[in-house]
Amino acid sequence: MSVQILDHQLEDYFNTAVELAKKAGQKIKEAFYKEKNVNTKQSAADLVTETDQAVEKMVQEIISQKYPTHKFIGEETVAVDGSSCTLTDDPTWIVDPIDGTTNFVHSIPEVSFSCGITVNKEVVIGVVYVPILDQMYTAKKGQGSFFNGQKLSVSSVTELKQAALIMEGGSSRDPDILKAKLDNLRNVLTASHGIRAYGSAAINLCKIASGICEGYVEYGIHCWDIAAGLLILQEAGGVVKDTTGEEVDIMRRRITGACSVNIVNQLVPLLTHLDMGRD
Amino acid sequence: MSVQILDHQLEDYFNTAVELAKKAGQKIKEAFYKEKNVNTKQSAADLVTETDQAVEKMVQEIISQKYPTHKFIGEETVAVDGSSCTLTDDPTWIVDPIDGTTNFVHSIPEVSFSCGITVNKEVVIGVVYVPILDQMYTAKKGQGSFFNGQKLSVSSVTELKQAALIMEGGSSRDPDILKAKLDNLRNVLTASHGIRAYGSAAINLCKIASGICEGYVEYGIHCWDIAAGLLILQEAGGVVKDTTGEEVDIMRRRITGACSVNIVNQLVPLLTHLDMGRD
């Protein structure tokens, strides 16, 4: 049986998510210009800092106090207890305390706090905040998406050969995964105006939502990287799909987002599809 | 016989370059949010707009009136008359009206006006201005480099495995060039924290100068893309070399820049060296 949420409840969740983003942003900003203690997770390029962990702890505590029946999926919580995360119909806060940890470590400003809220397994609220640049992206299901209060809309480009794309190297150093990613990169580069890489999936989706670049493909992301950004892109008029062009599944660790379904349809045949497992 | 330039003359050139950057920036900003008329040059991804041409024309006219004996090398002038550009000992203004034209076309804010001044074939002044973000990078030989007036200094990372790099797909779609670039990308990605791509050589050099990312490699750039940025990076304490690790030659269409010579020395053996001809 699906969960019923009233409008005023959703509004309350949204306001809480924005407040959390500002609080998290303050902590990230304080740590950004200081020396960082860096540890690694799955590979030598999969980084985590004390700030990732401190921000997630703070956010989780606030959510569990305010909404004790809600579920929580956070990048660092999953990393610590090794559990895979299960998405249920219950209201679920999917949080990446710092999306773009490598950027954070290198003082590259594209570092974001990402918070998506699902109800009945569907993202209904998305908040991405880039504290160093004071950029707040927000969306509520069916109500558009906004950048610092201004309504967002995607690029009107429909042909891949006139598109700029975003693709990332990612943190895996597995040679087979890298080979497929580089083949994809060559194919997309050859067919388009060019490729950019900013190092944060959440920000990448927000850039497409803002009409900056037309499409984005990534294998290896997690639900916390994309939950918020995918709603922000959809509500700006964009399209989010699985990399095969099928319906997106936020637990499937792969995504393509674009300004239109035409761009997705032209991207899909250029890709070698990697099975990255599930969150 | 080498040319002698007095300090007050250099100061005058510097002030003119900064004024030109602001005037160019104003024109770029006015055009940035409007519909653009796009043409192509060497490939379907080598773009030029009316704004590139209008900005270069304005800049060239001001320089030729103010300094009639000085030489001028500008991206769009070279593209139109097909001449290769010859660097002499005379004071020479090397100008890219819009570095990052693809970004400009796609409303990606990393778009810069770049102006380097050489005397005796050596860059003595560098100015890179990013008008959409109001970011002014400047350098005078031997006097440090600055971002909006604040002194710049490079990252202190010395190990490639702890470095973030910048590499670009570029505009060539020649399969052999792309193969070498993607091999380089794989090798550098495997050996480092990751790779970013922002789409402007001038800005890339300024980012390394700012301590954001540790190194940058590119094949296929031109002297107008790098003349200003390489001085800004050197004056921030960084190192600029040919991709083989030899002395940089700004007409040789390839470059590596890094926060330290250690990073360059670790990058060089990972690269397949492309001969891109000369400007």
Side-chain angles (χ1 to χ4, degrees):
Chain A
M1 201 180 74
S2 68
V3 175
Q4 298 288 330
I5 304 288
L6 301 173
D7 282 353
H8 77 90
Q9 289 176 299
L10 271 184
E11 195 61 29
D12 175 58
Y13 304 167
F14 176 81
N15 292 335
T16 301
V18 170
E19 278 311 304
L20 284 175
K22 289 180 183 165
K23 280 199 171 115
Q26 188 56 40
K27 261 192 190 297
I28 293 167
K29 212 167 170 178
E30 282 165 14
F32 187 75
Y33 298 101
K34 295 183 186 161
E35 197 72 23
K36 288 111 180 170
N37 281 323
V38 184
N39 286 305
T40 57
K41 298 191 287 187
Q42 299 291 316
S43 77
D46 187 10
L47 311 180
V48 63
T49 71
E50 294 166 338
T51 309
D52 298 73
Q53 291 157 341
V55 169
E56 181 157 320
K57 188 164 181 282
M58 175 192 76
V59 167
Q60 184 173 21
E61 281 172 3
I62 293 170
I63 294 169
S64 68
Q65 277 185 0
K66 196 157 178 181
Y67 310 106
T69 64
H70 288 193
K71 299 290 196 298
F72 180 85
I73 297 175
E75 173 167 19
E76 305 315 331
T77 313
V78 171
V80 166
D81 70 10
S83 64
S84 72
C85 31
T86 310
L87 193 60
T88 67
D89 285 346
D90 292 327
T92 303
W93 297 65
I94 304 182
V95 170
D96 193 346
I98 300 182
D99 187 51
T101 299
T102 301
N103 285 354
F104 177 73
V105 167
H106 291 274
S107 304
I108 302 172
E110 280 87 9
V111 161
S112 65
F113 170 82
S114 173
C115 175
I117 307 175
T118 59
V119 175
N120 300 316
K121 300 190 185 72
E122 184 179 60
V123 185
V124 291
I125 284 165
V127 172
V128 173
Y129 183 50
V130 188
I132 310 307
L133 308 173
D134 195 22
Q135 298 174 334
M136 178 76 79
Y137 298 89
T138 61
K140 295 177 215 169
K141 182 87 186 164
Q143 295 179 59
S145 55
F146 296 85
F147 167 70
N148 289 351
Q150 283 193 298
K151 198 159 185 344
L152 290 175
S153 65
V154 293
S155 163
S156 59
V157 168
T158 56
E159 295 301 317
L160 186 60
K161 67 180 180 207
Q162 291 173 335
L165 285 298
I166 307 176
M167 294 173 83
E168 303 282 351
S171 63
S172 169
R173 295 297 175 260
D174 178 299
D176 292 337
I177 291 176
L178 281 183
K179 185 182 180 313
K181 283 187 177 183
L182 288 163
D183 285 348
N184 292 344
L185 197 63
R186 184 197 57 231
N187 292 347
V188 175
L189 184 60
T190 304
S192 71
H193 271 175
I195 292 174
R196 303 289 174 264
Y198 301 105
S200 157
I203 294 176
N204 292 344
L205 288 163
C206 291
K207 283 184 186 273
I208 315 285
S210 308
I212 293 170
C213 299
E214 281 76 27
Y216 163 56
V217 179
E218 193 161 1
Y219 291 87
I221 41 82
H222 293 276
C223 59
W224 46 81
D225 298 318
I226 56 166
L230 74 82
L231 183 67
I232 292 166
L233 175 50
Q234 287 170 333
E235 290 294 323
V239 172
V240 180
K241 296 279 186 186
D242 183 69
T243 51
T244 56
E246 294 161 25
E247 281 309 291
V248 68
D249 171 350
I250 67 168
M251 311 307 275
R252 203 177 171 187
R253 303 201 55 205
R254 56 195 213 182
I255 192 171
T256 178
C259 59
S260 75
V261 74
N262 284 349
I263 297 288
V264 172
N265 289 344
Q266 292 166 76
L267 275 170
V268 167
L270 304 177
L271 304 173
T272 298
H273 297 300
L274 286 160
D275 182 354
M276 305 298 295
R278 296 184 65 79
D279 276 324
Chain B
M1 200 179 75
S2 70
V3 175
Q4 297 288 329
I5 304 288
L6 302 172
D7 282 352
H8 76 90
Q9 289 176 297
L10 270 184
E11 194 62 28
D12 176 56
Y13 304 167
F14 177 81
N15 292 335
T16 301
V18 170
E19 279 310 304
L20 283 175
K22 288 180 184 166
K23 279 199 173 114
Q26 188 58 38
K27 261 192 191 297
I28 294 167
K29 212 168 171 178
E30 281 164 16
F32 187 76
Y33 297 102
K34 295 182 184 161
E35 197 71 23
K36 288 111 179 170
N37 280 323
V38 185
N39 286 305
T40 57
K41 296 191 288 187
Q42 299 291 317
S43 76
D46 187 9
L47 310 182
V48 62
T49 70
E50 293 165 339
T51 308
D52 298 73
Q53 291 158 341
V55 169
E56 182 156 318
K57 189 163 180 284
M58 176 193 75
V59 167
Q60 184 173 20
E61 281 172 4
I62 292 171
I63 293 169
S64 68
Q65 279 187 0
K66 195 157 183 182
Y67 310 107
T69 65
H70 287 193
K71 298 289 196 300
F72 180 85
I73 297 175
E75 173 167 18
E76 305 315 331
T77 314
V78 171
V80 165
D81 70 9
S83 65
S84 72
C85 31
T86 310
L87 194 59
T88 67
D89 285 348
D90 293 328
T92 303
W93 297 64
I94 304 181
V95 170
D96 194 346
I98 301 183
D99 188 52
T101 299
T102 302
N103 285 354
F104 177 72
V105 167
H106 291 275
S107 305
I108 302 172
E110 280 87 10
V111 160
S112 64
F113 170 82
S114 172
C115 176
I117 306 175
T118 60
V119 175
N120 301 316
K121 302 192 184 73
E122 186 180 59
V123 186
V124 291
I125 283 164
V127 172
V128 172
Y129 183 50
V130 188
I132 310 307
L133 307 172
D134 195 21
Q135 297 174 336
M136 177 75 81
Y137 297 89
T138 61
K140 295 177 216 170
K141 182 87 188 164
Q143 296 180 54
S145 55
F146 296 84
F147 168 71
N148 289 350
Q150 284 193 298
K151 200 159 183 341
L152 289 175
S153 65
V154 294
S155 163
S156 59
V157 168
T158 57
E159 296 301 319
L160 186 60
K161 67 180 180 205
Q162 291 171 335
L165 285 300
I166 307 177
M167 295 174 82
E168 302 283 350
S171 62
S172 170
R173 296 294 176 263
D174 177 299
D176 291 340
I177 292 177
L178 281 182
K179 185 184 181 312
K181 283 188 177 182
L182 288 163
D183 285 349
N184 291 345
L185 196 65
R186 183 198 57 230
N187 291 349
V188 176
L189 184 60
T190 305
S192 70
H193 271 173
I195 292 176
R196 303 290 174 263
Y198 300 106
S200 158
I203 294 176
N204 291 345
L205 289 163
C206 292
K207 283 185 186 272
I208 315 287
S210 308
I212 291 170
C213 298
E214 282 75 27
Y216 164 55
V217 180
E218 193 161 2
Y219 292 87
I221 41 81
H222 294 276
C223 58
W224 46 79
D225 299 319
I226 58 167
L230 75 81
L231 183 67
I232 291 166
L233 175 50
Q234 285 169 336
E235 289 294 324
V239 173
V240 179
K241 295 280 186 188
D242 183 70
T243 50
T244 56
E246 293 162 26
E247 282 310 290
V248 69
D249 172 350
I250 66 166
M251 312 307 276
R252 205 176 169 187
R253 304 200 54 203
R254 55 195 216 182
I255 193 170
T256 178
C259 58
S260 76
V261 75
N262 284 350
I263 297 288
V264 172
N265 290 343
Q266 293 167 75
L267 275 171
V268 167
L270 303 178
L271 303 173
T272 299
H273 297 301
L274 286 161
D275 182 354
M276 305 297 295
R278 293 184 66 79
D279 277 324

